[in-house]
Amino acid sequence: MTIQNRAKASKTASIQLAALDAETKNKALEAIALKFEARKAEIIAANREDCARSEAEKLDAPLLKRLRFEDEKLSEVIEGIRSLIKLPEPVGQTRLATQLDNGLDLYRVTCPIGVIGVIFESRPDALVQISSLCLKSGNCVLLKGGSEAASTNRILAEIISEATVAAGIPDGWIQLIETRADVNEMLKLSDDIDLLIPRGSNDFVKYIMDNSSIPVLGHADGVCHIYLHEDADAAKALPILVDAKTQYVAACNTMETLLVHESVAAQQLPEIKAALEAKNVELVGCAKTREVLQIGEATEKDWRTEYVDYKLSIKVVSSLEEAIVHINTYGSGHTDAILTEDEAAAKTFMALVDSANVFWNCSTRFSDGFRYGFGAEVGISTSKIHARGPVGLDGLMIYKYKLIGHGQTVGEFSSGKLSYTHAPLDRDCPL
């Protein structure tokens, strides 16, 4: 089946899926979880095949780390599916209710976007997160994973499709696309695909944005910062910094640059260096950092680099204001944090740093849909329209206006026979 036919099939299925009740969708999600548990050995075997091939092909270490999908990862995605089941039904929720006049009531009601095209690299768990979120929110999905995960993605998509169709979900709601040529064709299908979510390199995301008229949601880089303020609690800060850099280095919410106030640099940097080097992190720094530590020199390029590896750049700054300017200049708008005991400094930082996620006294690794309680995420958006930050169910919803009348015409209002009340209503849409 061509990509055009797949997209049209999804468009058709999207109309039916949008109208399904919460119980049917939740039963389908549970069916996926049960199938994954029953076929765990097949999934792991397919992933080991992908990993072995990718190692032989010298796949970059960060991508290889993201590719691995063993027991722990599989258990996590099953837990994510079941946590998603427990979340409230997102479709059909009344977000606004206004009486335009007596017997003429306007409602703004949530509904699915329609057909989502998602292009991602390496991570098989992303396929599960994306498809389960789309199902819960009533959206169809076209998925294009990286060739390095071909076997794993194939069996995961097969299981999801089989489980959900048997549970009453329209056939064709999930489509797996496997060839690179199909990506360029996908970008042309604005009549059938409503939203694109690319998850990959900066150049790749920009390519998608430049070559499609379909709306694009996502982020290019994850250049995340932590700023260590002059009054930060050292005992509290050190575990946060180690977690933010080393808990999972291949993630887009991993700290890539550490900013340190000059008044505490000499005292705290040696301890930070020892803790990070114990985790095999390579450090590079600015001239002031290198007056304290014997490490490599950080270049202008380092401040803009998402390493997704065991490497960190460090800069000593003279003030909170300089830290904020650095983040807004070199950051990617993803996730940035301040470590301080000064609430006023934290308030200033969180107000002025122009990022989708801004944190106080905690690790950047918390910017994640599952950790936020969204069940999972289709990705993180650094855009400023529609959805921002970890994109869960809310980010996959749009709305429609429903107007319920009793024979009214605009002419009656234009002539003055009737007049608008525009009074708020305290009730949900009845339809």
Side-chain angles (χ1 to χ4, degrees):
M1 187 184 291
T2 66
I3 178 62
Q4 292 88 348
N5 289 337
R6 287 176 180 271
K8 287 189 182 301
S10 289
K11 191 70 171 179
T12 300
S14 71
I15 306 302
Q16 303 168 56
L17 181 54
L20 284 183
D21 59 276
E23 184 180 2
T24 300
K25 291 185 290 185
N26 286 336
K27 283 182 177 178
L29 287 166
E30 178 60 25
I32 297 171
L34 291 171
K35 281 281 189 182
F36 279 167
E37 289 171 339
R39 298 179 65 178
K40 180 184 291 188
E42 293 175 65
I43 295 168
I44 291 173
N47 183 250
R48 286 177 177 168
E49 177 187 320
D50 284 331
C51 289
R53 184 184 65 254
S54 296
E55 282 187 60
E57 293 172 353
K58 309 296 184 187
L59 184 70
D60 290 344
L63 291 177
L64 192 60
K65 187 177 180 70
R66 291 181 179 183
L67 175 60
R68 297 195 187 284
F69 195 67
E70 299 276 349
D71 274 308
E72 184 179 353
K73 279 284 185 185
L74 188 51
S75 297
E76 285 176 5
V77 299
I78 292 170
E79 181 187 355
I81 292 169
R82 289 188 166 136
S83 68
L84 196 56
I85 293 170
K86 297 173 185 176
L87 293 180
E89 169 61 25
V91 180
Q93 302 301 310
T94 300
R95 300 301 186 208
L96 175 148
T98 303
Q99 181 196 72
L100 303 189
D101 188 25
N102 185 34
L104 185 62
D105 300 334
L106 177 70
Y107 301 91
R108 185 165 68 208
V109 181
T110 58
C111 62
I113 290 172
V115 179
I116 314 291
V118 187
I119 309 162
F120 59 99
E121 293 177 331
S122 293
R123 293 176 51 184
D125 56 315
L127 183 147
V128 182
Q129 290 178 7
I130 293 162
S131 57
S132 58
L133 279 168
C134 284
L135 176 55
K136 177 82 173 186
S137 60
N139 289 287
C140 291
V141 62
L142 278 73
L143 295 155
K144 172 62 176 77
S147 59
E148 65 280 358
S151 298
T152 316
N153 289 341
R154 197 175 297 130
I155 192 169
L156 291 174
E158 173 191 307
I159 290 170
I160 292 169
S161 180
E162 288 178 1
T164 54
V165 171
I169 305 301
D171 192 11
W173 80 272
I174 179 172
Q175 304 275 356
L176 182 65
I177 296 161
E178 298 196 66
T179 70
R180 183 172 294 182
D182 281 339
V183 173
N184 285 328
E185 289 303 311
M186 183 190 294
L187 303 185
K188 303 173 186 176
L189 302 178
S190 56
D191 288 341
D192 297 311
I193 299 175
D194 299 293
L195 181 69
L196 289 173
I197 304 178
R199 295 177 60 165
S201 68
N202 187 15
D203 288 344
F204 174 71
V205 174
K206 286 181 177 177
Y207 175 83
I208 298 297
M209 291 177 172
D210 291 343
N211 288 275
S212 182
S213 61
I214 303 170
V216 178
L217 181 76
H219 77 281
D221 286 331
V223 183
C224 303
H225 302 76
I226 291 184
Y227 167 53
L228 189 70
H229 195 43
E230 56 189 322
D231 67 343
D233 182 329
K236 183 189 296 180
L238 191 60
I240 291 173
L241 296 175
V242 172
D243 181 86
K245 183 64 237 182
T246 68
Q247 197 273 331
Y248 183 58
V249 295
C252 60
N253 55 16
T254 295
M255 174 180 63
E256 304 293 17
T257 296
L258 170 64
L259 305 173
V260 180
H261 193 280
E262 61 184 8
S263 65
V264 296
Q267 177 185 356
Q268 296 199 30
L269 278 176
E271 188 176 4
I272 292 169
K273 177 177 184 284
L276 289 174
E277 288 188 341
K279 296 282 190 175
N280 299 313
V281 178
E282 176 192 352
L283 304 177
V284 294
C286 68
K288 288 184 179 179
T289 303
R290 295 171 71 233
E291 290 174 5
V292 180
L293 305 177
Q294 291 187 331
I295 57 175
E297 181 181 0
T299 66
E300 178 81 6
K301 182 181 178 183
D302 284 297
W303 307 134
R304 301 183 185 278
T305 298
E306 180 185 19
Y307 298 116
V308 287
D309 205 350
Y310 287 91
K311 186 174 182 180
L312 177 74
S313 57
I314 304 175
K315 183 176 183 180
V316 172
V317 296
S318 60
S319 64
L320 169 63
E321 291 71 26
E322 185 183 350
I324 292 169
V325 169
H326 180 97
I327 292 170
N328 287 339
T329 301
Y330 295 102
S332 58
H334 192 298
T335 303
D336 300 290
I338 182 172
L339 306 184
T340 180
E341 298 306 302
D342 182 348
E343 184 174 344
K347 185 176 181 180
T348 298
F349 181 92
M350 297 180 86
L352 297 182
V353 167
D354 188 18
S355 295
N357 306 274
V358 283
F359 297 169
W360 177 19
N361 286 345
C362 55
S363 170
T364 56
R365 290 281 291 120
F366 281 108
S367 60
D368 173 85
F370 177 72
R371 296 182 185 112
Y372 278 13
F374 299 167
E377 66 182 44
V378 293
I380 293 213
S381 170
T382 54
S383 68
K384 297 183 181 180
I385 55 172
H386 179 59
R388 197 179 192 199
V391 180
L393 292 174
D394 282 350
L396 293 176
M397 305 305 299
I398 193 63
Y399 51 80
K400 62 176 67 173
Y401 287 96
K402 296 184 176 182
L403 184 60
I404 301 172
H406 291 82
Q408 294 90 341
T409 64
V410 169
E412 293 173 292
F413 291 88
S414 299
S415 67
K417 181 180 178 180
L418 297 176
S419 59
Y420 296 107
T421 59
H422 291 144
L425 296 171
D426 186 19
R427 60 173 178 261
D428 289 338
C429 180
L431 303 177

